[in-house]
């Protein structure tokens, strides 16, 4: 870019080359742990104890993967996670857009206080409520059920904030036209509002799903039964039991990571867009 | 109540809407009740009730493992918290972790985002690779890094030992997760790695919203790269940076899972790692509440966490309002 | 998760006693009369929802009904091990707990403070004393809440292969630490830099507090002050004990390396260590997880003239819910008393790696034939029980070896001073004291001292 305009053909852009080198090294650093993880899964335990460690397995063995698949009960963990996270995501998307709409388009007594109260939960660490909630659920006999994993997360302060912003884009004229056509207010929301905020909804859904899929602290304290565990919990439990066995731990971790990576690769454009959108709105 | 409900524009209602059904279920009042009633119930049960009860119980010796009712103990729990060295250690560790992690991450993410943004080809590919760790489960990432960090046969030390022997140097290999001076930093590095892509994506979005005319104008003025960065990119990116800073610090200060997974819980079965060097506030809270079941004391700790995090967030927001000189 | 309990899942494996089932029905237990109305006891024991960890439970329940009291019915259930210790106290406190439950002494302080456990009636305590050893150290303020069915202390294990490769025989079994270290030096394999690649002696430093406690008792010092409000950690004996560990790891000829081996119970069978400091349950763990490992055991070596040799631990029996009905309480005590004094059940239990408390079994040939139990028996009268401390106290003890060997940042004195500070805070904070006084009931107590703390 520092070149003068006199040179007719494009000069070699050294900045580009330097950029490629640095970014390439960064990419390698990003990928290296994954490579290590996958390769270690194929090694047997004596090879993993070796000092210095080998790069490629002497012999590619599948035992660790077979063993981990059984021990981790992976399909079950995955289903549990999908179930819990989907319910949370659907609820957050719906409740957030409903509240976002009401808070943005209707005027009513206490609107600002309500909005402020909901937003403030974004900044309050969950731990403040956990002891009392845990005790409440314990008394109700609800601990160790998926209900407890879902209930406290049906609303999201962040979601309401994001959706209220999104409602700016819906013109009042559109709503009024529908009202004249005889739509009820609730019907209006479902038929006119929701279809018009598609991208924002998708962004919120992706964001909510991503964060809740990886949720750990609350499941850790309320869940006890391995059959009901979500992926992070199962994986943590698994590594706690077998962390001395590197091969099994790496194979189990690889298995747990694969579905997420596949979903990411398929949806990556949407996911990155979603993150961008939610980040910018914040 | 009726008077206070108004749409921004209220057109006259046509005849069809005069039915009883519509009067009850079709109006704005119905929508308000439909939207707000569950919301109020939810926030009452899951926020107001726990916060209120938690506050009151923080003045008792509440334990779910006792048949005796909680007894009022005055400020004893708070006195214990302020005299307990663990609490101080945990607060300092959490703050250090948040500042180090977010600082390192943004320091790397910003130049990377700028480079990526200027890239002619392969932008999407790099972005994909950097984003890969973000979607990896934190537990999986922790398990893998734990093994990278093994003191004797971990990859990092193998490489280091190779370099050492190659140049005939003589130094002790680091014990990343065992050495109290390194343990927290080692966890930080993992966290930097994991969320780097997230910061890059958001910064790239911020960068692309800066109009290219600004850069063109600067070029015509003969500004060099650093000047462009200093006087155009940085100021215009400020809102994005502040957003990242505030949200990331608020979340990193609550670090728990990374430490839980990466640091072996020590022989005492307590979390916190070597010489309590990785004991964080949330870790301490977890230990008190859900391992020792000292609910009264844990409630006091939770409130202290709340105050610290809010104070820190407010401080940053205030900092963000100050003008940077440019 | 299993970390949420004070006793690891692995410790517990010994209680399962392997796969041997005490099938023989010989000899009547201590007379307990069969009488009264029908009573149903709700009984919780770990993992009984699926299959009890102590696999012989259904059998002895049936035996109890046949031999002692057919009017007692059992309703058996129980969460998995890790979860058991959360659910049990919460259920007991919430009024939905079992009448009779499997118990562990590590929870004594919380259960007694919380009012969750019923004390034994005095006349029964007298009956127990007649046939059982070790009742006194279990008494708290004149009350007994649970007694030990088996005792546990430390032994040294060695790999037969490593031992034979080095040309060693049973005659080489060391009786002092100096002899042991000389032997360990010969068994250590080192790389070109002098760092061990196979430990001659693994002092269990990942959980080194118990090695330190054993050595400290050998110095003739009590661990806790008489009133229970101070720990005696940073003392002359404490320094000597820690220095011994230090020399083994960092001395001129180190015989172990903490980064080399995982837990000792895994290091020994994988031949990363030739000898190791261990507990009775190792043997049982190896039987299930490393069946090919050939090992031997010998009693813990001692410094000359030591009044005490190691710490005593115990495996308690079941306990009774303080809120159960009177009929249920009485029936539950019948069950525990019968169980704890039945020779067959107790022999079965001892063979899992515990020293029996039932006096009649101390001479039992089967039990004496077990290398672990006989090694522990050799020292058992010279062991010390320090009481039912708060769980955090053991974490404070862990600081000593964590700081010295895991973190490797502290000197002997710094580590001891830190542990001293933490332990004192914990002991001073507790409402009631259930510890310390038990040390004074040890056999060698009159030769032991309450030492000066280094300031």
């Amino acid at each position: 870019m520092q070149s003068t305009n006199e040179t007719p053909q494009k000069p070699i852009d050294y900045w580009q080359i330097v950029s490629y080198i640095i970014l390439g090294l960064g990419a390698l650093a990003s990928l290296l742990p994954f490579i290590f993880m996958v390769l270690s899964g194929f090694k047997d335990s004596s090879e993993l104890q070796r000092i210095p460690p080998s790069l490629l397995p002497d012999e590619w063995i599948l035992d660790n993967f077979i063993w981990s698949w059984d021990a981790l009960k992976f399909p079950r963990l995955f289903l549990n996670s999908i179930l819990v996270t989907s319910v949370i995501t659907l609820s957050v998307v719906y409740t957030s857009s409903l509240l976002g709409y009401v808070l943005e388009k209707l005027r009513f007594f206490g609107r600002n206080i309500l909005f402020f109260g909901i937003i403030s939960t974004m900044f309050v660490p969950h731990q403040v409520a956990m002891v009392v909630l845990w005790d409440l659920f314990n008394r109700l006999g609800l601990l160790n059920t998926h209900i407890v994993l879902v209930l406290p997360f049906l609303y999201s302060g962040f979601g309401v904030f994001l959706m209220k912003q999104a409602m700016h884009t819906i013109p009042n004229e559109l709503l009024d036209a529908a009202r004249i056509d005889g739509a009820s207010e609730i019907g209006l929301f479902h038929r006119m509002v929701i279809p018009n905020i598609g991208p924002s909804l998708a962004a919120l859904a992706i964001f909510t799903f991503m964060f809740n899929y990886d949720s750990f602290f609350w499941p850790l304290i309320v869940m006890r039964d391995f059959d009901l565990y979500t992926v992070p919990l199962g994986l943590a439990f698994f590594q706690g039991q077998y962390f001395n066995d590197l091969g099994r731990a790496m194979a189990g971790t690889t298995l747990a990571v694969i579905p997420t990576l596949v979903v990411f690769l398929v949806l990556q454009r949407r996911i990155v867009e979603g993150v961008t959108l939610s980040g910018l709105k914040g | 109540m009726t008077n206070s409900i108004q749409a921004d524009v209220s057109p006259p209602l046509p005849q069809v809407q005069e039915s009883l059904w519509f009067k009850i279920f079709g109006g704005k009042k119905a929508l308000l009740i439909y939207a707000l009633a569950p919301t109020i119930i939810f926030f009452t049960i899951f926020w107001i009730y726990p916060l209120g009860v938690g506050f009151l119980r923080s003045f008792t010796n509440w334990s779910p493992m006792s048949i005796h009712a909680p007894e009022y103990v005055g400020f004893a729990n708070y006195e214990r918290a302020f005299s307990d060295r663990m609490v101080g250690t945990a607060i300092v560790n959490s703050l250090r972790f948040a500042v180090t992690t977010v600082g390192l991450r943004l320091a790397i993410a910003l130049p990377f985002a700028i480079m990526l943004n200027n890239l002619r080809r392969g932008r999407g590919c790099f972005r994909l690779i950097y984003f890969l760790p973000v979607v990896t489960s934190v537990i999986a990432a922790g398990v893998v890094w734990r093994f990278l960090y093994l003191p004797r046969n971990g990859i990092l030390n193998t490489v280091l030992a190779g370099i050492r022997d190659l140049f005939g140097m003589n130094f002790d290999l680091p014990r990343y997760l065992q050495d109290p001076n390194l343990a927290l930093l080692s966890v930080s590095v993992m966290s930097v790695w994991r969320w780097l892509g997230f910061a890059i994506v958001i910064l790239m979005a911020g960068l692309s919203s800066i109009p290219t005319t600004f850069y063109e104008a600067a070029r015509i003025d003969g500004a060099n790269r650093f000047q462009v960065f200093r006087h155009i990119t940085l100021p215009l990116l400020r809102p994005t940076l502040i957003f990242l800073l505030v949200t990331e610090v608020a979340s990193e200060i609550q670090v728990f899972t990374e430490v839980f997974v990466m640091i072996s819980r020590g022989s005492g079965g307590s979390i916190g790692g070597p010489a309590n060097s990785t004991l964080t506030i949330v870790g301490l809270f977890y230990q008190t509440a859900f391992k020792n079941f000292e609910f009264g004391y844990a409630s006091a700790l939770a409130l202290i966490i709340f105050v610290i995090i809010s104070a820190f967030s407010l401080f940053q927001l205030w900092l963000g309002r100050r003008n940077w000189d440019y | 998760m299993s970390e949420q309990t004070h006793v690891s899942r692995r410790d517990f494996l010994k209680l399962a006693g392997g796969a041997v089932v005490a099938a023989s029905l010989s000899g009547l237990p201590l007379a307990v009369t069969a009488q009264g109305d029908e009573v149903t006891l709700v009984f919780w024991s770990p993992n009984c929802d699926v299959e009890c960890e102590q696999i012989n439970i259904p059998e002895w329940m049936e035996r109890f009904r046949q031999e002692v009291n057919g009017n007692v019915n059992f309703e058996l259930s129980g969460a998995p091990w890790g979860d058991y210790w959360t659910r049990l106290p919460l259920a007991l406190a919430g009024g939905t707990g079992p009448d009779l439950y499997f118990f562990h002494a590590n929870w004594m302080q919380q259960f007694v403070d919380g009012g969750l456990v019923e004390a034994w009636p005095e006349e029964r305590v007298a009956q127990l004393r007649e046939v059982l050893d070790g009742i006194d150290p279990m008494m708290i303020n004149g009350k007994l809440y649970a007694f030990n069915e088996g005792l546990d202390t430390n032994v040294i294990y060695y790999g037969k292969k490593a031992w034979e490769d080095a040309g060693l025989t049973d005659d080489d079994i060391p009786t002092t630490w100096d002899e042991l270290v000389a032997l360990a030096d010969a068994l250590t394999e080192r790389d070109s830099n002098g760092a061990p690649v196979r430990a001659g002696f693994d002092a269990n430093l990942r959980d080194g507090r118990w090695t330190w406690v054993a050595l400290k008792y050998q110095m003739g010092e009590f661990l806790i002050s008489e009133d229970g409000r101070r720990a005696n950690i940073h003392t002359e004996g404490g320094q000597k004990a820690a220095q011994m560990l230090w020399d083994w790891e960092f001395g001129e000829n180190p015989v172990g390396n903490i980064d080399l081996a995982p837990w000792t119970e895994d290091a020994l069978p994988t031949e990363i260590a030739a000898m190791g400091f261990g507990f009775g349950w190792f043997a049982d763990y190896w039987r299930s997880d490393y069946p090919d490992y050939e090992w031997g055991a010998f009693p813990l070596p001692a410094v000359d003239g030591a009044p005490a040799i190691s710490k005593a631990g115990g495996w308690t029996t079941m306990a009774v819910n303080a809120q159960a009905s009177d009929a249920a309480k009485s029936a539950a005590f019948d069950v525990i008393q019968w169980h704890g004094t039945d020779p067959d059940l107790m022999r079965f239990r001892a063979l899992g790696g515990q020293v029996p408390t039932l006096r009649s079994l101390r001479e039992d040939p089967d039990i004496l034939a077990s290398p672990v139990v006989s090694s522990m028996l050799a020292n058992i009268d010279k062991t010390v029980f320090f009481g039912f401390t708060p769980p955090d106290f053991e974490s404070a003890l862990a600081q000593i070896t964590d700081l010295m060997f895991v973190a490797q940042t502290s000197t002997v004195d710094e580590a001891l001073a830190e542990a001293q500070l933490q332990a004192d805070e914990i002991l001073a904070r507790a409402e009631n004291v259930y510890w310390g006084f038990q040390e004074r009931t040890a056999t060698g107590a009159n030769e032991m001292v309450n030492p000066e703390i280094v300031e």
Side-chain angles (χ1 to χ4, degrees):
Chain A
M1 282 191 198
Q2 269 97 339
S3 62
T4 54
N5 292 332
E6 275 121 287
T7 23
Q9 89 263 43
K10 262 200 159 162
I12 301 170
D13 189 339
Y14 291 104
W15 276 98
Q16 285 279 310
I17 296 170
V18 171
S19 295
Y20 275 114
I21 293 172
I22 295 175
L23 289 170
L25 287 174
L28 193 66
S30 270
L31 287 177
L32 211 61
F34 290 101
I35 297 168
F36 166 76
M37 169 181 83
V38 176
L39 290 180
S40 300
F42 287 104
K43 298 178 188 173
D44 71 16
S45 54
S46 67
E47 192 180 344
L48 286 164
Q49 288 287 340
R50 198 183 296 165
I51 303 171
S54 56
L55 180 62
L56 291 175
D58 297 342
E59 201 184 328
W60 297 73
I61 56 161
L62 283 173
D63 300 15
N64 291 326
F65 288 93
I66 296 166
W67 188 91
S68 300
W69 179 269
D70 292 340
L72 202 54
K73 297 188 194 166
F74 191 69
R76 176 153 231 160
L77 290 181
F78 190 58
L79 277 179
N80 288 340
S81 270
I82 296 284
L83 177 76
V84 168
T85 318
S86 300
V87 173
I88 291 176
T89 306
L90 284 175
S91 169
V92 164
V93 166
Y94 185 76
T95 56
S96 299
S97 41
L98 182 61
L99 276 175
Y101 172 69
V102 167
L103 288 168
E104 177 69 23
K105 298 289 183 189
L106 298 187
R107 300 258 165 80
F108 55 90
F109 175 75
R111 182 177 80 154
N112 287 333
I113 292 173
L114 185 69
F115 180 61
F116 191 77
I118 292 174
I119 292 303
S120 66
T121 61
M122 274 164 73
F123 300 99
V124 180
H126 263 109
Q127 288 83 18
V128 179
M130 274 180 184
V131 169
V132 178
L133 283 182
W134 191 94
D135 184 60
L136 178 72
F137 287 126
N138 180 40
R139 282 159 199 276
L140 295 174
L142 284 175
L143 288 187
N144 196 32
T145 60
H146 284 159
I147 297 171
V148 185
L149 287 188
V150 168
L151 273 183
F153 303 100
L154 292 178
Y155 281 78
S156 149
F158 173 74
V160 173
F161 181 74
L162 195 63
M163 286 298 112
K164 187 173 180 291
Q165 305 282 95
M167 295 304 164
H168 279 314
T169 59
I170 298 188
N172 289 329
E173 294 74 27
L174 188 77
L175 302 176
D176 290 338
R179 283 191 186 103
I180 290 166
D181 288 346
S184 71
E185 289 293 328
I186 295 176
L188 190 69
F189 167 73
H190 290 129
R191 276 191 292 271
M192 296 300 298
V193 175
I194 287 193
N196 271 301
I197 49 163
S200 297
L201 279 185
L204 177 62
I206 286 163
F207 213 77
T208 310
F209 196 93
M210 251 175 62
F211 278 85
N212 284 286
Y213 185 83
D214 215 21
S215 143
F216 185 69
F217 194 103
W218 180 247
L220 175 72
I221 60 176
V222 297
M223 301 307 286
R224 295 149 168 181
D225 191 345
F226 193 89
D227 285 342
L228 297 174
Y229 274 8
T230 53
V231 172
L233 211 49
L235 206 55
F237 181 77
F238 175 80
Q239 87 105 21
Q241 295 249 307
Y242 304 106
F243 70 77
N244 282 334
D245 197 323
L246 216 157
R248 286 175 177 181
M250 289 298 104
T253 311
T254 308
L255 289 175
V257 166
I258 287 172
T260 345
L261 289 191
V262 170
V263 172
F264 170 63
L265 291 178
V266 173
L267 291 178
Q268 61 123 335
R269 187 166 291 266
R270 278 234 158 251
I271 290 174
V272 171
E273 271 171 14
V275 168
T276 310
L277 195 59
S278 43
L280 283 184
K281 297 283 182 175
Chain B
M1 190 74 185
T2 325
N3 294 334
S4 59
I5 305 171
Q6 290 170 358
D8 296 330
V9 184
S10 289
L13 298 176
Q15 207 60 31
V16 273
Q17 294 173 5
E18 295 299 326
S19 72
L20 184 62
W21 181 89
F22 199 92
K23 270 185 182 156
I24 297 173
F25 298 109
K28 284 175 182 150
K29 212 170 177 179
L31 175 63
L32 266 185
I33 291 168
Y34 175 66
L36 297 187
T39 309
I40 289 166
I41 293 171
F42 176 88
F43 281 95
T44 308
I45 295 178
F46 292 103
W47 285 102
I48 298 171
Y49 164 76
L51 285 178
V53 173
F55 177 73
L56 293 177
R57 292 275 172 99
S58 72
F59 298 98
T60 68
N61 63 358
W62 181 27
S63 160
M65 282 202 179
S66 171
I67 56 170
H68 314 295
E71 286 166 32
Y72 176 75
V73 292
F75 285 90
N77 288 326
Y78 290 93
E79 277 165 24
R80 179 177 161 193
F82 288 116
S83 63
D84 191 342
R85 289 173 309 140
M86 298 285 183
V87 177
T89 310
I91 292 172
V92 171
N93 284 342
S94 296
L95 291 178
R96 262 183 54 201
F97 182 86
V99 170
T100 319
T101 310
V102 177
L104 270 176
R105 190 183 294 140
L106 292 187
I108 299 173
L110 187 57
F112 273 46
I114 292 172
M115 283 190 281
L116 270 172
N117 224 34
N118 293 335
L119 225 50
R120 297 214 184 95
R121 296 176 64 87
R123 202 188 291 194
C125 179
F126 277 118
R127 198 173 57 180
L128 176 75
I129 292 173
Y130 288 132
F131 207 77
L132 219 53
V134 178
V135 293
T136 312
S137 160
V138 58
I139 308 289
V143 176
V144 175
W145 277 78
R146 191 189 165 120
F147 287 120
L148 295 181
Y149 279 144
L150 281 182
R152 276 177 77 102
N153 54 348
I155 299 283
L156 284 173
N157 268 355
T158 307
V159 173
L160 257 185
I163 294 172
R164 178 181 64 177
D165 297 346
L166 190 68
F167 294 100
M169 289 182 286
N170 192 14
F171 57 86
D172 287 337
L173 294 174
R175 300 164 77 245
Y176 301 94
L177 297 174
Q178 288 81 17
D179 185 340
N181 299 318
L182 278 181
L184 197 66
L185 182 67
S186 301
V187 179
S188 262
V189 169
M190 189 282 266
S191 186
V192 169
W193 168 82
R194 200 166 105 77
W195 286 102
L196 185 67
F198 189 84
I200 289 180
V201 164
I202 288 185
L203 285 173
M204 279 174 77
L207 285 169
S208 61
S209 68
I210 298 174
T212 44
T213 46
F214 282 48
Y215 291 111
E216 278 154 17
R219 204 180 316 156
I220 290 165
D221 289 349
N224 66 26
R225 254 162 217 288
F226 180 73
Q227 285 167 325
V228 169
F229 172 75
R230 178 84 171 73
H231 296 288
I232 296 177
T233 314
L234 207 53
L236 288 173
L237 207 56
R238 216 186 77 187
T240 315
L241 277 171
I242 287 172
F243 163 76
L244 272 176
L245 198 70
V246 174
T247 53
E248 298 218 336
V249 167
S251 81
E252 297 295 356
I253 220 172
Q254 299 179 54
V255 59
F256 169 76
T257 313
E258 286 85 348
V259 175
F260 184 90
V261 177
M262 289 178 75
I263 306 286
S264 67
R265 267 130 279 162
S267 48
S270 56
I271 54 172
N276 289 322
S277 58
T278 57
L279 183 73
T280 63
I281 355 184
V282 176
L284 184 68
F285 169 78
Y286 168 75
Q287 170 119 341
T288 312
F290 299 106
K291 285 185 78 181
N292 297 352
F293 287 97
E294 296 176 275
F295 273 18
Y297 183 46
S299 299
L301 282 183
L303 283 169
I304 293 172
I305 296 178
F306 169 58
V307 169
I308 290 170
I309 292 178
S310 319
F312 214 70
S313 296
L314 287 175
F315 172 70
Q316 285 183 92
L317 286 171
W318 173 79
L319 212 62
R321 292 200 183 281
R322 317 240 71 189
N323 277 335
W324 294 358
D325 50 350
Y326 54 86
Chain C
M1 302 203 137
S2 58
E3 303 84 47
Q4 289 175 351
T5 64
H6 308 316
V7 196
S8 78
R9 169 68 180 65
R10 282 187 167 174
D11 293 352
F12 186 65
L13 278 171
K14 66 176 281 190
L15 285 179
V20 196
V21 176
S24 69
L25 310 174
S26 66
L28 273 174
L30 182 76
V32 179
T33 44
Q35 57 181 348
D37 297 330
E38 289 257 336
V39 57
T40 298
L41 288 181
V42 178
F43 177 25
W44 283 14
S45 185
N47 213 36
C48 284
D49 288 346
V50 186
E51 185 188 21
C52 295
E53 296 259 11
Q54 284 176 295
I55 52 172
N56 62 349
I57 289 179
E59 275 174 33
W60 68 246
M61 284 190 334
E62 197 45 44
R63 249 187 80 198
F64 177 84
R65 284 168 47 79
Q66 280 172 11
E67 296 175 21
V68 185
N69 191 345
N71 285 342
V72 175
N73 302 303
F74 293 95
E75 222 179 272
L76 179 64
S77 64
W81 175 255
D83 188 19
Y84 181 81
W85 294 109
T86 313
R87 280 197 203 184
L88 176 69
L90 295 173
L92 289 169
T96 56
D99 304 308
L100 173 68
Y101 54 88
F102 172 85
F103 185 59
H104 193 287
N106 277 15
W107 292 85
M108 188 72 85
Q109 189 229 354
Q110 280 131 308
F111 274 54
V112 174
D113 270 350
L116 310 181
V117 54
E118 176 76 5
W120 281 71
E122 277 181 31
E123 65 280 8
R124 284 185 190 268
V125 177
Q127 290 169 4
L128 291 173
R129 264 187 223 280
E130 283 173 26
V131 288
L132 293 177
D133 277 338
I135 297 289
D136 283 318
M138 301 296 285
M139 306 284 287
I140 297 170
N141 301 327
K143 286 186 174 161
L144 180 73
Y145 294 93
F147 61 86
N148 287 319
E149 293 188 336
L151 297 173
D152 173 334
T153 183
N154 307 111
V155 292
I156 305 290
Y157 289 100
Y158 62 95
K160 284 255 165 90
K161 186 171 171 291
W163 198 268
E164 276 161 23
D165 288 350
L168 299 170
T169 66
D170 282 357
D171 297 335
D172 297 302
I173 285 177
T175 55
T176 68
W177 289 107
D178 289 342
E179 286 170 25
L180 180 112
V181 171
L183 211 59
D185 191 32
L187 288 165
T188 305
E189 288 170 12
R190 300 187 174 89
D191 65 14
S192 52
N193 297 329
V197 291
R198 185 183 76 179
F201 175 61
D202 182 334
N204 203 24
L205 293 181
R206 288 266 175 122
D207 191 3
R209 55 190 155 165
W210 304 127
T211 324
W212 178 84
V213 167
L215 291 171
K216 157 130 173 120
Y217 276 136
Q218 297 195 359
M219 306 298 166
E221 292 183 354
F222 291 118
L223 182 61
I224 298 174
S225 72
E226 190 150 18
D227 66 356
R229 290 304 186 182
R230 276 209 91 169
N232 301 323
I233 292 173
H234 195 196
T235 63
E236 199 190 329
Q239 286 167 324
K240 278 188 197 161
Q243 189 62 47
M244 283 171 77
L245 297 176
W246 180 276
D247 291 340
W248 299 342
E249 177 86 4
F250 299 124
E252 267 178 43
N253 294 307
V255 294
N257 182 306
I258 193 166
D259 291 335
L260 186 66
W263 301 98
T264 307
E265 66 265 31
D266 294 313
L268 281 163
T270 49
E271 293 178 21
I272 295 171
M275 297 192 288
F277 177 95
F279 306 87
W281 58 267
F282 279 19
D284 219 54
Y285 170 61
W286 294 333
R287 187 159 62 187
S288 61
D289 280 39
Y290 297 95
D292 297 335
Y293 177 53
E294 289 185 46
W295 52 272
F298 54 85
L300 209 63
V303 294
D304 263 347
I309 291 194
S310 186
K311 159 190 168 286
W315 294 96
T316 39
T317 177
M318 297 155 275
V320 179
N321 184 353
Q323 289 175 296
S325 70
D326 286 346
K329 278 180 188 169
S330 164
F333 280 125
D334 280 351
V335 172
I336 303 173
Q337 192 170 351
W338 169 80
H339 185 275
T341 54
D342 182 80
D344 291 321
L345 288 170
M346 291 304 103
R347 182 183 301 109
F348 166 68
R349 186 162 188 160
L351 290 175
Q354 304 174 21
V355 174
T357 49
L358 190 59
R359 220 167 280 139
S360 62
L361 289 181
R362 290 273 168 104
E363 309 286 314
D364 190 279
D366 289 350
I367 290 170
L368 292 176
S370 154
V372 197
V373 183
S374 59
S375 296
M376 290 198 295
L377 250 175
N379 283 335
I380 200 73
D381 290 335
K382 288 193 127 184
T383 56
V384 184
F385 176 54
F386 62 70
F388 310 102
T389 49
D392 287 351
F393 176 72
E394 295 192 359
S395 306
L397 287 182
Q399 287 293 320
I400 304 167
T401 47
D402 274 5
L403 289 171
M404 284 166 57
F405 304 113
V406 180
Q408 298 180 3
T409 46
S410 300
T411 62
V412 165
D413 274 308
E414 286 163 355
L416 292 172
E418 174 64 23
Q420 175 78 48
L421 204 59
Q422 287 189 21
D424 282 348
E425 276 172 15
I426 292 157
L427 296 185
R429 186 164 66 218
E431 211 171 308
N432 302 307
V433 175
Y434 304 137
W435 50 82
F437 53 85
Q438 293 92 337
E439 288 185 320
R440 275 76 191 169
T441 65
T443 318
N446 52 354
E447 293 172 57
M448 294 176 76
V449 295
N450 194 49
E452 290 286 308
I453 291 161
V454 181
E455 298 293 346

